[in-house]
Amino acid sequence: MEWFGRAKIDYTTSPKPLSLKEKDGKVTDLLKICQSAVPPCQLNPLLFNGHAQTMWTAIKSHGPPIRYKRRVFEADHKEFNGSFVVDFAVTDPSAKEEADETLTPRTAYFSESELEAMGSDDERPMLVVLHGLSGGSHEIYLRQAIAPLVDSGKWEACVVISRGCANSKITTGLLYNARATWDVRQTIKWLRKTYPNRPLFGLGFSLGACILTNYLGEEGSACPLKAAVAVANPWALHISSKMLQSSFIGHHVYQKVLGDAMRTLSMRHKEELDKFTNIDTESLSKLKYLYEFDRAYQCPTWGYPTEEAYYRDASSSDSLLAVRIPFLAINAVDDPIASNLSVPYAEASTNPYTVLCTTSLGGHLGWFEIGGGRWHGKPICNFLNHMAFEVDLDSIDDDAKGTLISGNPTHGTSYDPIRRKMHVNLNQ
């Protein structure tokens, strides 16, 4: 079947998935909701493996023309100060403002009057999106996924831009890493205050999926989001990195493309890096591979002794154990970047709040169908629409969420899935 582009779909979750009540009073569970949300995965048979699907993403199709307004935030985190930006999808069809040429396509800054007018008591669901490595709100895979929600007129959406990405400016020497949950945390706090009646949902892609999962684990049962989706999460970063380095294509194509992206990103902020850090930007500009960039920038900036220590500490596999909201994770088994060996099947099978959906085909953020469409947007939209409009969001018993810590009390042992080797003040 797979030879004709028909991917096999599998689900991994707890033997007793999370019980949920729908607004009509019907009792269901998270697995049933996910299974009904995920359609058959019929992909383009000419893109017959993960490499072909992944490399086809380099073909620059236009994608849905979502427009954004950008707001600049000053970080409220004492250690990770500076500024970051959030792009809000424009949902008013009558708005025709021209884009700012200094920003990514179809994006402009909010005016002062618009900033002052932000806030509402409406109950429209709002989606908080995190993009992939060195990306932004303009990415085609992101726009194709959220366009049906934005165009429906029922949703609001915003994209938290990782520091320095998407033509945003940094005001310190800090960019971001896979543990950088502080900006999304501040954004969600601000949204809850500014739009108190809006139910909030999360969506993350690739590295953004890793950051989102880490955030969900850190928040645990106190998470303000109602549900979330993670797509193409690399999960165990040290495993995915080693797998990339173990093959010619992985090392000299994917590692190089990712390394080029981060090197280019860092050179856009060379002035700030030279001013606020001791990073040798001259050496940084000559690096070829992603792991070299992580060794030269991430390690000295955040304090990790090696890039492998950073990868192990920033991985989100253990964070999955601490997730306490309905959570759908989607990965392709043939993903050459987020290796299947890094996917936390065992962890997903112990947590009733999570459903891991794997497709046998799809590559890394590919899932190209015949005609150029992308399959991944369908389960994302179906799941989020079901959770937002059909599920009683107050039906989850907080007391049933349980503790994040496991262990054997007889021997005095305990295991906290979000306990990290490097201590960071989460600013919760």
Side-chain angles (χ1 to χ4, degrees), residues 399-428:
D399 293 336
K401 292 186 176 183
T403 178
L404 305 181
I405 300 175
S406 59
N408 188 329
T410 302
H411 302 294
T413 61
S414 65
Y415 179 80
D416 183 347
I418 62 168
R419 180 169 52 210
R420 303 289 186 171
K421 295 180 182 298
M422 177 177 287
H423 174 74
V424 171
N425 174 15
L426 296 179
N427 214 34
Q428 289 176 304

Side-chain angles (χ1 to χ4, degrees), residues 342-419:
S342 74
V343 176
Y345 291 99
E347 287 74 13
S349 69
T350 68
N351 189 344
Y353 288 83
T354 69
V355 171
L356 172 61
C357 171
T358 52
T359 62
S360 57
L361 303 172
H364 189 70
L365 293 176
W367 287 293
F368 285 97
E369 300 171 314
I370 295 175
R374 307 281 274 273
W375 173 85
H376 67 278
K378 298 175 181 177
I380 291 171
C381 294
N382 291 342
F383 176 76
L384 290 173
N385 275 323
H386 194 114
M387 293 303 302
F389 300 113
E390 298 185 42
V391 171
D392 179 359
L393 297 176
D394 297 321
S395 66
I396 301 176
D397 184 0
D398 287 341
D399 293 336
K401 292 186 176 183
T403 178
L404 305 181
I405 300 175
S406 59
N408 188 329
T410 302
H411 302 294
T413 61
S414 65
Y415 179 80
D416 183 347
I418 62 168
R419 180 169 52 210

Side-chain angles (χ1 to χ4, degrees), residues 133-134 251 253-266 284-294:
L133 185 79
S134 74
H251 193 186
V253 177
Y254 300 126
Q255 274 279 356
K256 187 176 185 303
V257 169
L258 297 172
D260 286 346
M262 290 307 296
R263 186 187 69 248
T264 301
L265 175 67
S266 64
L284 203 64
S285 68
K286 299 176 182 177
L287 300 180
K288 292 178 62 176
Y289 305 111
L290 179 61
Y291 65 86
E292 293 180 326
F293 176 86
D294 291 335

